[in-house]
Amino acid sequence: NAGVTQTPKFRVLKTGQSMTLLCAQDMNHEYMYWYRQDPGMGLRLIHYSVGEGTTAKGEVPDGYNVSRLKKQNFLLGLESAAPSQTSVYFCATGQQLAKNIQYFGAGTRLSVL
Amino acid sequence: GDSVTQMEGPVTLSEEAFLTINCTYTATGYPSLFWYVQYPGEGLQLLLKATKADDKGSNKGFEATYRKETTSFHLEKGSVQVSDSAVYFCALGPTSTGNQFYFGTGTSLTVIP
């Protein structure tokens, strides 16, 4: 049982390049979240989804887009990467009836040069 | 808005010492409170939770009590081990009308033999 799987684990981009981070879950959870983790800032919510075909903005959505075309996948896109987007990105999932508990992936470390 | 203020780190303790990590919160409504732990190179894992005032969450020797009168949820452990070395995050869960979590900045704990 894989749980929450994030790909890739590491990536280095040049300013202006684009990329997509994939979060895949096999727990049949309705809720999915994308966070970024920066030193001294804790985790900040970028976007989230409460079900297939839905997305909503979190605390820091600028410069990111997301899609939830399938229940098990939540994609985070950077259309034109900037050095300020250098961070560790975490995906998390949760159940609608128990949305108080989140399950996290291992993270993606992204550097934008 | 809702927020979490967590004790600054890093914290270094000797094995078998007593641990306290302070956490206070600001919230509308009556959210659940959580402590998550992050081991090096991994995603966050739920350590314990409390869903209402005066509840005590406990796990692996760690405890925290939901104090509504002081808006606090301090993490304690009576005797830390080297294996407890990690980053600890206090978090505020979604209220009945919301979907968002709020995380503290994290406290790094190192336990030395």
Side-chain angles (χ1 to χ4, degrees):
Chain A
N1 188 350
V4 182
T5 303
Q6 291 183 233
T7 54
K9 294 189 186 325
F10 304 94
R11 186 73 185 267
V12 178
L13 291 179
K14 295 181 180 179
T15 297
Q17 287 185 318
S18 63
M19 78 163 294
T20 300
L21 283 67
L22 170 64
C23 178
Q25 54 113 346
D26 62 4
M27 297 183 289
N28 202 33
H29 286 172
E30 296 86 0
Y31 288 63
M32 297 187 76
Y33 307 80
W34 275 109
Y35 293 91
R36 59 178 290 172
Q37 182 182 30
D38 302 293
M41 301 290 286
L43 271 72
R44 292 182 292 170
L45 183 64
I46 303 171
H47 287 279
Y48 66 97
S49 168
V50 301
E52 181 179 325
T54 75
T55 63
K57 294 180 179 180
E59 183 184 358
V60 289
D62 293 343
Y64 304 95
N65 57 75
V66 289
S67 65
R68 182 99 181 266
L69 298 179
K70 295 182 179 180
K71 184 177 184 179
Q72 63 267 34
N73 294 337
F74 194 29
L75 305 177
L76 178 70
L78 287 72
E79 291 186 348
S80 180
S84 61
Q85 294 177 306
T86 294
S87 188
V88 180
Y89 292 86
F90 286 101
C91 175
T93 71
Q95 293 178 288
Q96 182 177 11
L97 293 180
K99 63 181 180 179
N100 280 320
I101 299 175
Q102 296 196 322
Y103 299 84
F104 283 81
T108 296
R109 185 173 295 275
L110 175 66
S111 293
V112 183
L113 306 178
Chain B
D2 293 0
S3 66
V4 173
T5 301
Q6 189 175 337
M7 173 177 147
E8 296 283 337
V11 174
T12 302
L13 294 174
S14 297
E15 205 165 22
E16 299 184 2
F18 184 84
L19 169 71
T20 299
I21 301 177
N22 291 336
C23 172
T24 57
Y25 67 91
T26 301
T28 53
Y30 303 97
S32 295
L33 298 173
F34 304 85
W35 278 99
Y36 279 83
V37 59
Q38 183 181 30
Y39 298 103
E42 298 182 9
L44 280 69
Q45 303 172 27
L46 179 65
L47 178 60
L48 55 84
K49 68 182 178 112
T51 57
K52 61 183 187 296
D54 299 325
D55 266 5
K56 177 185 283 188
S58 61
N59 186 25
K60 300 180 181 180
F62 292 89
E63 293 183 341
T65 301
Y66 191 161
R67 301 283 188 200
K68 187 178 174 184
E69 63 276 12
T70 55
T71 61
S72 65
F73 193 56
H74 305 321
L75 182 68
E76 296 182 337
K77 186 175 185 183
S79 176
V80 294
Q81 305 301 312
V82 172
S83 58
D84 294 327
S85 298
V87 181
Y88 293 82
F89 292 89
C90 184
L92 191 68
T95 62
S96 58
T97 57
N99 295 302
Q100 189 163 330
F101 276 71
Y102 296 89
F103 286 84
T105 54
T107 300
S108 175
L109 170 67
T110 301
V111 180
I112 55 178

